[in-house]
Amino acid sequence: MNAKPASILLVDDDLQLVQSMSHWLRDFGHQVQTAGNLEEARTELAARHFDLLLLDLRLGSDDGFHLISEVRKAYPDVCVLVLTGYATPQTAVEAIEAGAFDLLTKPVLDAELQLAIERGLSQRQIAQENQRLRQSLDVRSGLENVLTHDYRMLKIFDVIDSVADARASVLITGENGTGKSMIARAIHQRSSRRQKPFVEVACGALPDNLLESELFGHVKGAFTGAATDKVGKFHLADRGTLFLDEIGTASPAMQVKLLRVLQEFEFEQVGGTKTQSVDTRVILATNEDLSAAVNDGRFRQDLYYRINVVNIVLPALRERVGDIPLLCDSFLHAAAETSGRDVDGFDHEAMQLLQAYPWPGNVRQLQNVVERAVLLSRDKVLTVQDLPPEVVGTVADPLSAALPQGIPSSIASPGTGSISQTQGATGGLPNQAAGPESGNRLNPSSFANKTLREALEGPEREIILHTLRRFKWNRAATADALDINRTTLYKKMKRLGLDDPRLQFALDEAH
């Protein structure tokens, strides 16, 4: 027998068979306990752990089917093999449905029993590995998936552990891109509701009438187009977690409905009269200052106090600069694996710029910048040439308006200089020939040991990229604006790595 030694409980009222089979099993290194009826079997199961149960269906006046069901519920890790001298096709079906792995007919051949035990133990091992994998995935979806060394984030982790199992609402606030959805998922995964659904709704993406139907569901005929009944998100998240993102965009009418369901956990479907009750944990998020919205009359005070039981404030990425190398490393390896690129990381000068930049789009923007750098790079080590203009400081960041006052929109690392753009006659292209009075400064050390062609590749790539974005990747319009023919443009795009269709997606996401 090739199976690893296992702990086996043999349940049969045939004493001669029990003695013979138990000796045979022990010869293969298995640990065997025996029982002659269901009561003895239950005692053995309660006393010690077993890997395998060999069970006769007829035990005097006892029915072995009862024990199969009990073992399936109380000891799901135990593999059950049924032995019977009165097998019919229907008996086999009923045994499998009750939870048995296999059914063998007496008299059982040694080779047949050996194979069944091996298969049963192998199936049990696979089930245990699957369970460990599910637990691992749960962990990855929890706090362990939030990369940080920042003390403020570590304090937030402590709060999450404290409130994970509370039914009270949690309000997560922070700028766009700080990871509010990830924190909501982490709370769900740390709670006893982790096996139930996590349902997410972006409140700002739906008009008020559709949002009500999305949250509470509707009955057939409730409005034009309601051809069938629809179950709402509150019901789908019953005994699980409902995450309401962008809650600050909810209209006054919707705020009233939300207040009721958060107080009583009861609601009616749109067009319906039947009151439904749910046990749903609600987590909400916003990038707005809700206290200011309350003062301005845009948000109900009673709803604000209802949802603000626990408030988790996520710091912006510029406030946790020490996490940027850690996040870059994670995003870089993920992007390199997805795109099939061989990339090691950013050099010191590029990392300085990444840490100096204010990141108005926070972690989401950083991820897009890293993915862009991986797609554009021709070398294993990423440099300043692989960063977008707004990070290097060569153009104004289109997201700079989102920054708080006092944060500059363009930051250059000391000693690297910056290149300010002016508008030339070519319709918005950088005027590289502008004089010193325009603020143009180049760092000669960045061109050391490079040929003229190599030194010009960076600016040429950025000029073409800027124009492609300006004309929404229309290559004909781009070629006309650059005063070159389309064939030349295509060749330059291929040489500079700008012909990858994934690059357009990554850049569009970043801007």
Side-chain angles (χ1 to χ4, degrees):
M1 185 178 293
N2 297 323
K4 294 181 180 179
S7 176
I8 299 175
L9 175 61
L10 174 58
V11 184
D12 201 308
D13 59 353
D14 186 336
L15 183 59
Q16 184 176 358
L17 175 66
V18 167
Q19 291 178 341
S20 174
M21 189 174 293
S22 60
H23 285 309
W24 182 78
L25 291 170
R26 290 188 182 107
D27 287 342
F28 288 102
H30 297 300
Q31 299 177 1
V32 183
Q33 300 294 326
T34 62
N37 54 55
L38 294 188
E39 193 60 37
E40 293 178 6
R42 293 188 181 101
T43 301
E44 291 291 342
L45 286 166
R48 56 180 60 84
H49 169 76
F50 292 99
D51 301 313
L52 190 72
L53 172 64
L54 289 174
L55 173 66
D56 188 9
L57 287 181
R58 294 194 177 183
L59 301 167
S61 59
D62 291 337
D63 187 348
F65 273 108
H66 295 312
L67 189 60
I68 297 176
S69 301
E70 293 175 17
V71 169
R72 184 177 184 179
K73 294 178 181 177
Y75 312 99
D77 288 340
V78 178
C79 179
V80 180
L81 290 179
V82 171
L83 308 174
T84 181
Y86 308 93
T88 66
Q90 184 60 31
T91 304
V93 171
E94 292 175 356
I96 299 300
E97 289 179 346
F101 172 72
D102 203 354
L103 181 143
L104 304 177
T105 304
K106 296 180 181 179
V108 181
L109 300 177
D110 289 351
E112 184 183 12
L113 179 58
Q114 173 183 334
L115 179 60
I117 291 175
E118 289 178 357
R119 289 176 61 245
L121 294 176
S122 176
Q123 181 68 22
R124 177 178 179 273
Q125 182 179 3
I126 291 173
Q128 291 175 334
E129 290 175 353
N130 287 340
Q131 179 63 24
R132 285 193 292 270
L133 177 60
R134 283 192 293 269
Q135 292 173 348
S136 175
L137 291 173
D138 286 345
V139 166
R140 290 178 61 187
S141 298
L143 292 178
E144 291 78 1
N145 200 36
V146 182
L147 302 176
T148 185
H149 294 312
D150 187 82
Y151 75 96
R152 285 162 295 191
M153 293 297 294
L154 297 178
K155 285 185 176 180
I156 288 174
F157 291 179
D158 292 337
V159 173
I160 290 173
D161 281 332
S162 299
V163 304
D165 272 328
R167 193 179 183 184
S169 300
V170 176
L171 177 63
I172 306 173
T173 56
E175 296 178 12
N176 285 333
T178 50
K180 296 186 287 293
S181 176
M182 183 177 291
I183 294 298
R185 289 180 181 275
I187 295 173
H188 175 73
Q189 291 296 339
R190 304 292 271 203
S191 74
S192 58
R193 298 172 181 262
R194 68 178 67 89
Q195 301 298 332
K196 299 300 179 180
F198 177 89
V199 180
E200 183 171 351
V201 179
C203 299
L206 297 170
D208 204 44
N209 57 335
L210 291 182
L211 179 59
E212 183 178 3
S213 172
E214 191 73 11
L215 293 178
F216 308 123
H218 62 250
V219 299
K220 180 179 178 181
F223 50 84
T224 302
T228 60
D229 290 353
K230 177 182 178 179
V231 176
K233 293 295 194 288
F234 266 100
H235 187 79
L236 291 176
D238 190 22
R239 295 189 293 167
T241 302
L242 178 64
F243 175 50
L244 300 179
D245 198 7
E246 303 176 56
I247 190 60
T249 63
S251 69
M254 178 56 64
Q255 292 176 33
V256 173
K257 295 180 173 66
L258 285 174
L259 178 61
R260 181 205 169 192
V261 73
L262 291 176
Q263 286 177 332
E264 305 171 7
F265 292 94
E266 293 182 345
F267 60 91
E268 290 82 36
Q269 292 178 293
V270 178
T273 57
K274 182 179 179 182
T275 299
Q276 299 187 18
S277 300
V278 291
D279 174 20
T280 303
R281 180 20 164 355
V282 180
I283 302 175
L284 310 98
T286 182
N287 61 353
E288 294 188 36
D289 184 350
L290 289 187
S291 61
V294 170
N295 293 333
D296 294 342
R298 293 181 289 109
F299 201 85
R300 291 182 63 96
Q301 186 179 56
D302 47 5
L303 178 59
Y304 174 68
Y305 289 132
R306 169 59 60 182
I307 67 177
N308 196 31
V309 179
V310 178
N311 184 199
I312 296 177
V313 182
L314 297 183
L317 183 57
R318 61 182 169 275
E319 298 171 3
R320 37 185 286 226
V321 176
D323 283 343
I324 290 179
L326 182 68
L327 292 166
C328 283
D329 185 66
S330 175
F331 296 150
L332 183 142
H333 285 94
E337 183 178 353
T338 301
S339 62
R341 303 292 178 94
D342 185 12
V343 181
D344 289 338
F346 290 95
D347 66 11
H348 179 68
E349 187 178 7
M351 185 55 67
Q352 279 188 320
L353 285 177
L354 289 170
Q355 290 186 282
Y357 182 65
W359 298 111
N362 291 292
V363 178
R364 186 182 297 122
Q365 184 189 6
L366 174 63
Q367 182 175 6
N368 287 333
V369 167
V370 173
E371 290 176 353
R372 171 194 186 277
V374 171
L375 288 172
L376 281 177
S377 176
R378 294 300 182 91
D379 300 317
K380 295 183 66 174
V381 177
L382 304 180
T383 68
V384 173
Q385 299 295 330
D386 300 309
L387 299 178
E390 62 269 20
V391 175
V392 178
T394 59
V395 297
D397 186 352
L399 297 177
S400 60
L403 289 172
Q405 292 185 354
I407 300 295
S409 62
S410 177
I411 297 178
S413 181
T416 62
S418 64
I419 306 173
S420 300
Q421 283 194 334
T422 59
Q423 301 300 314
T426 54
L429 296 179
N431 185 353
Q432 300 294 341
E437 67 277 8
S438 67
N440 288 6
R441 288 185 291 124
L442 297 176
N443 184 5
S445 64
S446 65
F447 305 124
N449 302 318
K450 290 185 178 181
T451 66
L452 179 60
R453 177 172 176 169
E454 290 171 342
L456 291 174
E457 275 189 354
E460 186 179 21
R461 179 190 291 124
E462 294 300 337
I463 291 171
I464 294 174
L465 194 56
H466 173 85
T467 313
L468 283 167
R469 284 210 305 261
R470 178 167 161 251
F471 292 101
K472 303 186 185 302
W473 292 81
N474 184 316
R475 299 187 183 190
T478 299
D480 290 340
L482 294 172
D483 198 21
I484 58 177
N485 62 55
R486 276 178 283 180
T487 301
T488 301
L489 174 64
Y490 297 161
K491 289 181 178 179
K492 287 180 178 293
M493 289 178 64
K494 185 173 183 180
R495 176 170 59 85
L496 298 171
L498 298 175
D499 59 336
D500 191 330
R502 294 172 296 183
L503 176 62
Q504 177 182 351
F505 175 79
L507 291 172
D508 288 345
E509 285 290 308
H511 293 271

